Amino acid sequence: MRTTLFTAALSSALLASGSAAQSPRPTVLVLGTGGTIGSAGDYWGGNVTRVPIDQLVRIPGIDSVAIVESEQFLNVASSSIGPARWLELTRRIADIYQARPELRGIVVTHGTDTMEETAYFLDLTVGGIRPVVVTGSMRPSNMAGADGPANLMNAVRAAADTNSRGRGTMVMMDDRLFSARDVTKTNSTRVETFQAPERGPLAIVDPEGVFYRSKSAGRATAQYDVSAVRELPRVDVIYSYPGADSVAIDAVVGAGAKGLVIAGVGRGGMTGSQSGAVRRAAAQGVLVVTSTRTGSGRVPVGTGGNTIGSGDLNPQKARILLMLALSRTSDPAQIRKIFAENQ
């Protein structure tokens, strides 16, 4: 009898100890903005039905990963998300993190067409060490083989992981977690479309956990405080190709562009007519950054002259960095330094 009582008491103590040692489930907030992941209906026929975020998060087993809350921030195609929405979204995330210190992380669902731009903007403007994980899908929610549930589950898993702290904003697609700075969409329809040329993913996400390739950098502050910014400077991307002339460059400068990004041939090259237009733009105080249309590779930032190289930022990422840089300064030397520091 004494042995039985002792064994029962010991078992109870061990159970209590184990329960006390277990960490409570982290809380993750999912902000929905729309996109393919939040779409159903005759998607390819153009008759799209929007699915609210509170339905999308009802994934079997997700409660075992985290306590998941949701908020419908937007419900639009990613083509409708640009600079004004970026400012709204980054402020909303900042407000949430300030008001809710218990949140482990935030997931943003987003259309894939412009996902990389939104993610990079958030990476540059959201402060703190808690992560933001952006995810979406290549297939609508009612399509056979829909990838949205798996991507959203893994995004929550990544946001809840303590090793994600200090890594800024990341993109979770197809079981891989990418730096927002490095990732780009490389195919119009395939689920493995998101890649980070020459850099690769930060981590692989499996049901067993998040497996990072390196330790966290521990970043705590945003590069850009946009709390007082109401409108970002106009920056246009100009594509270079054989026979391109100066018309497009002259037009956007005339429309008030403060900066230009040239998606150049090869290592940032331009046609003769474009080069002349760039010189005229620079003479008017327009900042010009040259990038490459090839999809990967570097355009040297350089040390002087009329133009600044983007390094290995693609044209759309270079545009975002130039917009934010111009919100701070119009000094070419300072902007060159900013691009050099973001390599």
Side-chain angles (χ1 to χ4, degrees):
M1 182 67 176
R2 288 181 180 177
T3 302
T4 302
L5 289 173
F6 175 77
T7 302
L10 179 61
S11 298
S12 298
L14 288 172
L15 286 171
S17 175
S19 298
Q22 291 178 356
S23 299
R25 285 181 302 155
T27 301
V28 172
L29 177 65
V30 180
L31 291 177
T33 71
T36 302
I37 192 172
S39 299
D42 183 13
Y43 185 80
W44 306 114
N47 186 17
V48 178
T49 301
R50 297 293 177 194
V51 182
I53 193 63
D54 60 349
Q55 291 185 26
L56 292 180
V57 299
R58 297 173 190 170
I59 302 170
I62 199 169
D63 288 342
S64 66
V65 176
I67 298 170
V68 178
E69 300 176 2
S70 63
E71 175 183 315
Q72 194 76 60
F73 180 78
L74 294 169
N75 204 347
V76 298
S78 64
S79 57
S80 298
I81 299 177
R85 297 297 196 187
W86 294 339
L87 289 170
E88 293 171 3
L89 182 57
T90 198
R91 289 189 189 114
R92 181 62 187 137
I93 291 171
D95 289 345
I96 291 169
Y97 269 151
Q98 182 176 11
R100 301 197 56 187
E102 82 282 4
L103 278 183
R104 181 70 62 83
I106 289 175
V107 171
V108 177
T109 63
H110 198 285
T112 59
D113 286 351
T114 65
M115 178 187 288
E116 63 188 271
E117 286 106 310
T118 297
Y120 187 44
F121 186 85
L122 295 177
D123 190 51
L124 292 169
T125 59
V126 174
I129 63 172
R130 287 179 287 178
V132 176
V133 181
V134 184
T135 194
S137 74
M138 294 301 294
R139 297 168 179 164
S141 61
N142 62 330
M143 181 180 176
D147 53 325
N151 288 339
L152 184 50
M153 170 78 94
N154 282 337
V156 169
R157 185 174 279 118
D161 194 290
T162 55
N163 290 318
S164 296
R165 294 169 70 84
R167 296 183 186 269
T169 298
M170 297 171 283
V171 170
M172 172 66 237
M173 292 288 288
D174 195 34
D175 296 341
R176 290 169 296 177
L177 193 60
F178 296 95
S179 162
R181 181 204 179 278
D182 302 331
V183 73
T184 189
K185 187 175 183 179
T186 65
N187 188 281
S188 61
T189 57
R190 300 289 176 257
V191 295
E192 70 276 13
T193 177
F194 282 88
Q195 306 288 338
E198 301 187 304
R199 298 205 181 202
L202 293 173
I204 301 298
V205 184
D206 289 335
E208 294 77 24
V210 183
F211 300 92
Y212 280 100
R213 292 189 292 108
S214 62
K215 293 182 179 180
S216 172
R219 181 176 54 189
T221 58
Q223 286 194 48
Y224 293 89
D225 179 2
V226 294
S227 58
V229 177
R230 293 295 170 258
E231 185 178 5
L232 291 165
R234 175 170 180 159
V235 174
D236 288 277
V237 177
I238 301 294
Y239 206 79
S240 189
Y241 52 88
D245 57 25
S246 63
V247 171
I249 295 175
D250 290 338
V252 297
V253 171
K258 303 301 182 185
L260 295 176
V261 174
I262 307 298
V265 296
R267 211 178 189 197
M270 292 174 279
T271 68
S273 295
Q274 285 183 316
S275 297
V278 162
R279 287 193 293 271
R280 291 195 298 274
Q284 297 179 51
V286 177
L287 270 294
V288 181
V289 171
T290 57
S291 185
T292 176
R293 69 180 199 179
T294 60
S296 63
R298 304 183 64 82
V299 176
V301 174
T303 57
N306 292 331
T307 60
I308 300 167
S310 67
D312 65 350
L313 288 173
N314 63 25
Q316 54 268 36
K317 299 284 184 66
R319 173 180 177 252
I320 291 170
L321 184 58
L322 183 55
M323 292 170 81
L324 287 167
L326 285 168
S327 72
R328 178 185 294 175
T329 179
S330 59
D331 181 357
Q334 290 300 313
I335 292 179
R336 188 183 302 279
K337 181 180 179 182
I338 287 169
F339 270 83
E341 291 172 345
N342 278 273
Q343 298 306 304

